[in-house]
Amino acid sequence: MAQRKSGIKERAENRSKETLKRKNLSKRIVRESIDFDKIIASNDPQTIFNAMWEQLDKRLLENKHFQGYLGYVEGYNEAVKCCQDYIENKDIDIGFPKLIVTSYRPKSFRNEVTFSENQQILDFYLYWIDGIASKAYELTITDLMLSLIFHSAVLKKPILQTLISRISDKSLTIESIFELPVTTLIIDDDSYHTNTYNDSTAVHEVKVFLSPLTSYLIKLYNKKGKTKKVSLSTDIHKLYQTLQMTKSLSQNQLSMTLKKFLIGAVYVLEDYLFLDLPEHTWYLLIGWDSTYGLSTANWQSLIFNISHETLANVTTSIEYHNDVVVEPRKANPTITVEIAKLFKKNKDEKISMTTFSAGLKQLYERLSTSDAPLSEIAIVGWLLTKTVTCKKVSSVQTYSGTITNRWLSLTQGVALEEHTEEDYIQFYSELIELGKSKDAKNTIATRIDEIHEYLVNQHNIEPIAPLSSTKRAHHRTGYLSETMFQAILSSADNLEMTKDELEAVKLALILGQRCGLRIGEIVKIRLKDVAITSAYLEVRDNKYGNNKTGSALRRTLLEQLLTDSDMLFFRKVELIRGEGKGDTLIANQAGMAYRASDLSKILSQLIKTVTGLPHLTTHHLRHSFLTNFQLMSFMYDQANNFKGHKCTQALKDLLPYDEEKSCEILAYIETSLQYKKIYALAGVAGHASPSTTFESYVHLTDIQIGLLLWHMDYHLTSKHHELISIPRRLKKQLAASPVAVNDYLLNKLKLKPLPKPKHSKRLKRADKKSTKPKRYSFDEVRQILEVHNREEDFKEKMDVYKLDQNTFEMWLENARRLRNDSAFKTTHGNSRLFASDDNRSLLPVLDRYAEDNHMLMQMTNKFRDLYKIKDNREPMLQFVGLTLTNSQYYKNHISFNEALDLYSYIQILRQLVLKKNINLKIYHYAQAKDDDKKEWQPVMKLLASSQIKNCNVADKLNGNVYKKKIRAELSLSSQTEQTRLNNREKSNLPIKQWTVRTLQIFCHYAFIMIGQRINLGDHKP
């Protein structure tokens, strides 16, 4: 008798069938509603597409299969993906809608405690706060625990326990940050560590901002504790039990557990003490959601603007991205089923480990040899490692059941081999967040740690710190204030880089800090992803890389988020790139996109060296953006009526915007509904859940709570004034303004500020223009002179490039010399550098292939480095002159008649290009005189024999052999030579070598820029 399926399994299968049906139906509606051929043929493709999409959306809403919200979301997202495939495949220059990202609000903590229990806690609080005002009352450690809970909103048991223990052993130190009381704790829990080490051990450091009242009560307790010590347990559970059993509280019994008591304290804080916090912040305070604050070193950098290092060790070259389509490998749709089948029993017999291992190994070998996605190879390979450590197949099945389906589903279409360390951490964090409980999340994290370790060992991917709490995972807290960011941006100008590399670095810094874009997203932004008005850009998958999740596909609002100076720089780069090669927003002179890993390395080194914080990386630009956005939302929330505390302005100074701009951004992006604000934050982050954003990226909620605590009214009576030693002359004044009590207590506390570290110096925010001489690239020369040659207005270009009139006139004069000077003409008066029918051009024609143009860029960098050495300058100027006066437009080689000239020429050239790329043809060597041969022998020793070709054609006349003078022709091999030769193997016109005019092009541009320094002497054509 066939075993009947369980109801749960049957419903799950039905849901899967319905989902598949909706997706197929959605694809059919796309095909029927969107005519891409018509869009391509249209003069306004975006308008046509928008109209078609509107009709498609209407059909989805009217179709019965998409009536429910989740059903509509499935159909809508499938239509977006389908359209994206068409648009990318046909390279249509239009934008398309964003995916709808669904998430669920967390279970409400308010249901954990009943109304009557909340009332009990309030009655107890009123009884207790009234009791401590008695003159006969002496403060105990229990009183301090209650003040920490009710006056400082310390509602997490690990933090509360640590505070009580530190108070008890007199080791608690209270300092101030922006004149708010704060203490630094090392929490002994199983959560992340936060870039803090204690005796080389990673620890979880927390900054707890205390209320002035709690801080003062701790001071009173410590004073009285010097004269009288009371032996009480410091375990918070036992202290709470003591409260429950106290006879004097018989009328105010606490029937709930400590866990419920801490949750119920929210009722007192919110409804009686009027601590007005956003709903999600209460989740953070009670520990139902997590967020992590900054390390002490990071706080010191914010307060004192500390800098430590120079830029001497920063890498100054970025590798380019090969212009190859980066598409995810085709996934195997049956891989999940194939793995599941391996675990199935044969009738009544249990499957043996030998049989199971053999089947799994066979599957692994097939995937490895069929160009399967790395994610599929990883999960099968990891399961294979479990066959060694597990004794039973059922144990391996248990491991597989916790991760396999989830892993394969979420990694589909993700190119793991292209990820950086930050990419892995972010992707895995979102995967972990899908766990329903803390234990489930930690189990997923443990499995991911193991799979990633396997990938590191077997596939050489980038390692990351462990994610599971059992291994004390690393949490990358870090933040850059506006002052720190401007110092980094200013220091970037001092990097020894080409113009395009420097623009890439600065624009990546701006888009990371202002818009929260990942480096992998920045390097793959295409010019067509940016709106015509530069108002926004689309983060989309393309041939340069894919996003990690559907929620990462988003629109970034440049017009709102960039400052005026940022937008000016962005438009400058966009304008320059629009007239250059390639289709990405940032690229080298050859138009090639940069590699994310190399750009990230440079940015990380720059950030570390300028700030002096070794734990900061490129990804902390994104942390800073999201922390700033959340801070901005808090500071300019109309519900928060701040009363001029110093901290208010200090926090606003961390932001890049003034109040008007901040409110404009918030009005555009946020909603007036408090609970939805965190979803707006998750939306700009590209996260499916706000929990991911707060846990990983938001780091200043602790000081925000501290600021609100300073504004709290504790409803103190005149009796309490006696307890906190308020003078009689101030009682009436403080009674009229209860919040002023906090200011009084802060003055009485005389707290020392967070200390400045030794051996540090202050960062300078760059307000002055850099005095470093402006460096220009060949690309700028080309664009300026091309516009001039077309007789267009080139003043705008000069403004964009910050080119002064004298420099432009010098370039123009040198360019005209190359056309008109006799030194650059043949004996027949023809130009050596331009075609005979070209009477207008001032610039050379570039090499055809990007690889050869990249060699040109490398020559430029090396030439600049060599030219810095004074003794090199004259030989290098002669090098440029010899190239231009010994070349011909229709020839790819440079001609030499003098051995000494060629010898010095090759000495310079070997430092600019790889020696293997130099080719030399020697003519008349066999017919030359011995003295002539002797002169040329040192030249021939400079290169390998395989690079030298002797062209000895005997010239005989009347039987006599005439002696001839040796001459040579030098050329460079194309970087595409081998590929192009291989492609011509079947051609009837064999070519043994492919050369390029890179030398002539390089020296042509070099002469335009520095030709006035080159002495051509009495050169004769």
Side-chain angles (χ1 to χ4, degrees):
M1 182 177 175
Q3 188 176 3
R4 185 178 177 182
K5 293 180 182 178
S6 69
I8 294 174
K9 190 172 182 179
E10 193 170 344
R11 286 192 294 274
E13 288 180 355
N14 288 338
R15 283 195 297 271
S16 297
K17 290 178 182 177
E18 287 298 318
T19 298
L20 183 61
K21 185 187 295 183
R22 279 192 291 268
K23 286 185 176 181
N24 290 333
L25 180 57
S26 179
K27 290 177 182 177
R28 195 186 80 195
I29 293 175
V30 169
R31 289 194 297 270
E32 294 173 355
S33 304
I34 310 292
D35 186 348
F36 286 97
D37 291 331
K38 183 177 179 181
I39 292 171
I40 293 171
S42 171
N43 293 327
D44 189 0
Q46 188 67 62
T47 302
I48 299 296
F49 174 77
N50 291 346
M52 292 179 178
W53 180 264
E54 188 176 337
Q55 291 302 312
L56 181 148
D57 191 32
K58 186 176 180 181
R59 287 188 62 181
L60 286 176
L61 289 168
E62 293 173 351
N63 193 293
K64 66 178 182 180
H65 295 286
F66 304 108
Q67 288 302 301
Y69 174 70
L70 291 179
Y72 169 74
V73 168
E74 281 182 356
Y76 185 95
N77 284 349
E78 190 63 32
V80 171
K81 291 175 184 177
C82 190
C83 284
Q84 180 181 0
D85 290 340
Y86 274 111
I87 291 168
E88 293 294 335
N89 290 339
K90 300 194 177 207
D91 197 26
I92 308 172
D93 190 11
I94 58 173
F96 50 94
K98 296 181 290 184
L99 296 172
I100 299 174
V101 178
T102 56
S103 57
Y104 299 91
R105 294 183 66 184
K107 177 184 175 184
S108 177
F109 68 86
R110 299 180 187 277
N111 297 331
E112 296 291 304
V113 183
T114 64
F115 177 77
S116 61
E117 287 173 327
N118 281 330
Q119 196 61 45
Q120 279 184 41
I121 296 170
L122 176 59
D123 291 342
F124 164 76
Y125 170 77
L126 294 174
Y127 176 86
W128 167 74
I129 195 66
D130 185 58
I132 64 171
S134 171
K135 290 184 180 180
Y137 195 90
E138 187 169 333
L139 290 173
T140 66
I141 194 74
T142 307
D143 295 317
L144 298 184
M145 181 180 80
L146 293 173
S147 181
L148 286 167
I149 294 170
F150 291 114
H151 299 149
S152 294
V154 179
L155 306 179
K156 291 181 185 176
K157 287 195 284 187
I159 296 177
L160 183 61
Q161 181 62 70
T162 305
L163 279 166
I164 293 299
S165 299
R166 294 280 298 276
I167 292 170
S168 181
D169 63 17
K170 311 297 182 190
S171 63
L172 187 74
T173 300
I174 302 178
E175 299 166 318
S176 74
I177 292 179
F178 298 145
E179 296 188 6
L180 292 178
V182 64
T183 185
T184 303
L185 304 177
I186 304 299
I187 308 299
D188 184 18
D189 61 5
D190 59 355
S191 60
Y192 294 92
H193 82 72
T194 52
N195 295 316
T196 308
Y197 294 86
N198 189 2
D199 295 330
S200 301
T201 302
V203 294
H204 178 196
E205 181 188 87
V206 170
K207 292 276 185 297
V208 181
F209 285 82
L210 303 173
S211 70
L213 179 57
T214 300
S215 303
Y216 194 76
L217 292 179
I218 292 172
K219 181 179 179 180
L220 289 179
Y221 175 80
N222 287 336
K223 278 185 178 180
K224 293 177 181 179
K226 292 178 182 178
T227 57
K228 183 178 179 181
K229 293 185 179 180
V230 180
S231 178
L232 284 175
S233 170
T234 58
D235 182 272
I236 58 174
H237 291 90
K238 291 182 179 179
L239 291 175
Y240 181 67
Q241 289 172 4
T242 303
L243 278 176
Q244 288 179 309
M245 293 185 292
T246 302
K247 290 183 179 179
S248 61
L249 298 177
S250 57
Q251 294 180 350
N252 304 97
Q253 288 294 326
L254 298 173
S255 59
M256 72 290 299
T257 62
L258 176 59
K259 178 182 177 182
K260 284 191 172 184
F261 179 78
L262 292 173
I263 295 174
V266 173
Y267 177 70
V268 177
L269 285 159
E270 196 173 38
D271 288 10
Y272 181 72
L273 298 174
F274 302 110
L275 180 60
D276 188 14
L277 296 177
E279 184 75 358
H280 185 260
T281 306
W282 289 116
Y283 283 85
L284 298 175
L285 282 173
I286 65 175
W288 280 35
D289 247 339
S290 299
T291 188
Y292 294 87
L294 302 175
S295 64
T296 298
N298 207 152
W299 269 115
Q300 289 170 325
S301 286
L302 294 182
I303 297 167
F304 301 107
N305 296 321
I306 295 166
S307 176
H308 293 268
E309 304 291 339
T310 65
L311 301 180
N313 298 320
V314 178
T315 303
T316 55
S317 63
I318 318 172
E319 290 299 318
Y320 62 91
H321 190 294
N322 289 324
D323 193 12
V324 178
V325 176
V326 181
E327 294 180 351
R329 298 174 185 176
K330 190 173 182 180
N332 179 3
T334 63
I335 184 67
T336 307
V337 177
E338 290 183 63
I339 294 173
K341 283 182 178 178
L342 294 173
F343 291 108
K344 285 190 176 179
K345 302 174 183 178
N346 296 324
K347 296 183 180 179
D348 297 328
E349 297 179 4
K350 289 185 178 180
I351 186 169
S352 68
M353 181 61 83
T354 304
T355 305
F356 173 75
S357 299
L360 195 62
K361 189 173 182 180
Q362 186 178 6
L363 176 59
Y364 178 80
E365 290 173 350
R366 179 167 63 81
L367 292 173
S368 301
T369 56
S370 62
D371 200 31
L374 184 58
S375 56
E376 294 180 3
I377 296 172
I379 194 72
V380 177
W382 170 70
L383 288 174
L384 264 178
T385 65
K386 291 300 177 186
T387 62
V388 178
T389 58
C390 297
K391 294 181 179 179
K392 297 180 179 179
V393 175
S394 58
S395 300
V396 182
Q397 188 172 15
T398 302
Y399 280 109
S400 177
T402 58
I403 192 65
T404 298
N405 288 352
R406 190 189 304 269
W407 174 271
L408 291 172
S409 174
L410 294 178
T411 58
Q412 186 174 356
V414 176
L416 291 177
E417 58 272 26
E418 295 288 330
H419 279 25
T420 63
E421 181 182 1
E422 286 83 5
D423 292 334
Y424 288 120
I425 291 171
Q426 176 56 33
F427 175 65
Y428 292 155
S429 296
E430 295 198 23
L431 201 155
I432 291 168
E433 279 301 318
L434 296 177
K436 293 183 178 179
S437 66
K438 186 175 181 179
D439 289 340
K441 290 178 181 180
N442 196 53
T443 300
I444 295 169
T446 303
R447 302 292 174 262
I448 290 173
D449 283 341
E450 293 172 356
I451 296 171
H452 193 85
E453 185 177 358
Y454 168 82
L455 284 168
V456 171
N457 295 333
Q458 299 297 323
H459 297 276
N460 199 34
I461 68 169
E462 207 170 339
I464 63 171
L467 297 166
S468 61
S469 59
T470 54
K471 295 185 179 180
R472 187 53 125 182
H474 180 234
H475 200 80
R476 288 173 167 262
T477 61
Y479 172 74
L480 299 165
S481 67
E482 183 61 14
T483 299
M484 295 167 74
F485 175 68
Q486 289 298 333
I488 294 165
L489 203 60
S490 176
S491 297
D493 286 325
N494 297 319
L495 293 174
E496 295 296 330
M497 299 181 126
T498 63
K499 168 194 149 292
D500 51 274
E501 288 175 335
L502 188 58
E503 285 177 349
V505 166
K506 294 182 72 172
L507 192 58
L509 284 168
I510 290 170
L511 292 177
Q513 179 81 5
R514 297 285 186 253
C515 306
L517 295 184
R518 305 172 178 94
I519 294 302
E521 294 170 340
I522 293 170
V523 297
K524 69 184 181 67
I525 296 170
R526 299 163 301 181
L527 291 165
K528 68 179 183 180
D529 293 331
V530 182
I532 295 174
T533 59
S534 302
Y536 61 86
L537 63 82
E538 303 280 2
V539 179
R540 299 292 188 189
D541 293 341
N542 58 43
K543 67 181 181 180
Y544 300 104
N546 298 306
N547 293 289
K548 294 177 291 302
T549 61
S551 52
L553 301 170
R554 62 197 188 280
R555 175 172 289 181
T556 298
L557 303 172
L558 301 176
E559 195 171 39
Q560 280 71 36
L561 298 174
L562 297 187
T563 64
D564 291 342
S565 59
D566 296 334
M567 181 58 85
L568 187 65
F569 183 78
F570 180 90
R571 284 175 173 155
K572 169 190 166 183
V573 174
E574 185 187 14
L575 176 64
I576 295 169
R577 287 291 305 119
E579 298 184 4
K581 292 188 174 183
D583 59 350
T584 54
L585 179 63
I586 57 174
N588 63 19
Q589 290 180 37
M592 292 181 169
Y594 290 114
R595 278 171 43 181
S597 56
D598 289 320
L599 182 56
S600 179
K601 181 179 178 181
I602 289 176
L603 295 179
S604 293
Q605 289 176 339
L606 180 63
I607 292 167
K608 291 175 196 290
T609 53
V610 174
T611 64
L613 296 176
H615 68 274
L616 291 184
T617 67
T618 305
H619 211 54
H620 286 108
L621 297 167
R622 179 169 164 80
H623 286 237
S624 303
F625 162 70
L626 294 170
T627 297
N628 276 340
F629 193 93
Q630 189 275 332
L631 176 62
M632 187 166 59
S633 178
F634 170 80
M635 296 307 300
Y636 296 107
D637 188 337
Q638 294 180 358
N640 296 328
N641 183 23
F642 300 124
K643 301 187 182 299
H645 189 278
K646 177 186 175 182
C647 180
T648 305
Q649 190 57 48
L651 290 178
K652 288 181 178 179
D653 288 343
L654 297 177
L655 298 169
Y657 317 110
D658 59 20
E659 183 170 352
E660 183 181 357
K661 177 72 171 177
S662 297
C663 293
E664 177 189 323
I665 294 170
L666 294 172
Y668 194 89
I669 297 175
E670 280 193 340
T671 170
S672 58
L673 296 175
Q674 278 289 351
Y675 84 92
K676 284 190 175 182
K677 289 186 177 183
I678 58 171
Y679 291 94
L681 177 63
V684 297
H687 292 153
S689 166
S691 296
T692 303
T693 312
F694 275 86
E695 184 171 51
S696 300
Y697 293 98
V698 176
H699 305 307
L700 290 178
T701 54
D702 47 9
I703 194 170
Q704 294 167 24
I705 293 167
L707 182 57
L708 289 174
L709 291 174
W710 185 86
H711 288 82
M712 194 158 68
D713 180 4
Y714 306 105
H715 302 294
L716 300 180
T717 64
S718 57
K719 292 180 181 179
H720 295 106
H721 292 171
E722 297 292 335
L723 174 68
I724 57 180
S725 306
I726 294 178
R728 185 178 300 174
R729 68 180 185 278
L730 296 177
K731 286 183 179 180
K732 287 187 178 180
Q733 177 184 340
L734 297 180
S737 177
V739 176
V741 173
N742 291 320
D743 209 17
Y744 168 79
L745 292 175
L746 276 175
N747 291 329
K748 290 276 289 182
L749 284 167
K750 293 182 170 56
L751 298 176
K752 293 181 179 180
L754 193 70
K756 182 179 181 179
K758 297 178 181 179
H759 312 298
S760 61
K761 61 183 179 180
R762 190 174 181 82
L763 276 173
K764 292 182 180 179
R765 184 165 175 170
D767 295 322
K768 297 180 180 179
K769 292 183 179 179
S770 174
T771 56
K772 182 183 174 185
K774 181 75 171 72
R775 283 176 57 176
Y776 298 98
S777 70
F778 292 170
D779 195 46
E780 290 165 313
V781 175
R782 178 182 61 80
Q783 293 201 36
I784 291 288
L785 292 183
E786 279 184 350
V787 173
H788 175 271
N789 219 31
R790 292 197 299 265
E791 298 181 357
E792 296 176 6
D793 183 8
F794 55 90
K795 294 294 183 182
E796 181 184 357
K797 287 282 186 185
M798 290 177 65
D799 291 339
V800 168
Y801 291 121
K802 297 180 181 177
L803 180 70
D804 61 86
Q805 185 67 28
N806 290 337
T807 303
F808 165 72
E809 289 177 358
M810 181 189 69
W811 288 358
L812 185 59
E813 175 61 26
N814 289 337
R816 286 171 174 168
R817 282 183 64 194
L818 289 171
R819 170 169 284 285
N820 302 322
D821 198 302
S822 61
F824 307 112
K825 293 187 177 181
T826 66
T827 54
H828 300 291
N830 297 323
S831 174
R832 292 182 176 276
L833 307 174
F834 301 97
S836 57
D837 58 349
D838 183 359
N839 298 317
R840 288 183 55 83
S841 296
L842 295 175
L843 298 166
V845 178
L846 295 176
D847 287 318
R848 177 181 176 185
Y849 292 98
E851 291 85 352
D852 296 321
N853 286 318
H854 182 66
M855 182 168 66
L856 176 69
M857 190 178 69
Q858 290 176 324
M859 287 177 65
T860 308
N861 297 338
K862 292 176 181 178
F863 189 92
R864 279 188 168 132
D865 291 337
L866 289 170
Y867 197 79
K868 292 175 186 175
I869 302 170
K870 188 175 181 180
D871 292 342
N872 288 342
R873 291 176 186 172
E874 188 57 36
M876 296 182 78
L877 293 174
Q878 290 178 7
F879 172 87
V880 174
L882 282 169
T883 302
L884 297 174
T885 56
N886 290 279
S887 61
Q888 293 185 55
Y889 179 76
Y890 294 105
K891 304 290 184 182
N892 283 1
H893 61 256
I894 315 297
S895 300
F896 290 90
N897 295 321
E898 300 295 332
L900 188 59
D901 286 348
L902 181 56
Y903 184 86
S904 60
Y905 189 91
I906 294 177
Q907 293 283 30
I908 296 293
L909 183 58
R910 287 195 307 179
Q911 300 177 74
L912 300 179
V913 299
L914 295 176
K915 184 178 173 181
K916 67 177 183 179
N917 290 327
I918 304 173
N919 303 304
L920 194 63
K921 286 184 179 181
I922 302 290
Y923 289 88
H924 312 310
Y925 188 81
Q927 299 116 309
K929 295 179 182 179
D930 291 340
D931 290 345
D932 202 12
K933 289 180 181 179
K934 189 175 180 180
E935 286 184 17
W936 284 83
Q937 281 176 358
V939 175
M940 299 175 73
K941 289 180 180 179
L942 293 176
L943 302 174
S945 58
S946 60
Q947 295 171 263
I948 302 173
K949 180 180 180 182
N950 281 307
C951 301
N952 298 313
V953 180
D955 293 328
K956 294 184 179 182
L957 185 62
N958 300 324
N960 296 321
V961 177
Y962 292 91
K963 296 294 183 181
K964 289 197 173 183
K965 188 174 176 63
I966 298 173
R967 66 180 179 86
E969 294 176 356
L970 183 144
S971 59
L972 291 182
S973 296
S974 170
Q975 299 303 291
T976 63
E977 179 181 57
Q978 193 56 49
T979 303
R980 293 162 72 189
L981 287 172
N982 292 340
N983 292 339
R984 289 183 62 90
E985 284 181 354
K986 297 179 181 180
S987 173
N988 294 325
L989 299 172
I991 297 176
K992 295 181 179 179
Q993 188 178 64
W994 238 295
T995 58
V996 286
R997 301 188 72 253
T998 307
L999 272 174
Q1000 293 93 318
I1001 296 167
F1002 168 79
C1003 291
H1004 194 126
Y1005 277 106
F1007 190 91
I1008 291 175
M1009 299 179 79
I1010 58 173
Q1012 72 281 0
R1013 305 176 192 174
I1014 298 173
N1015 181 14
L1016 298 173
D1018 297 326
H1019 177 83
K1020 295 180 180 179

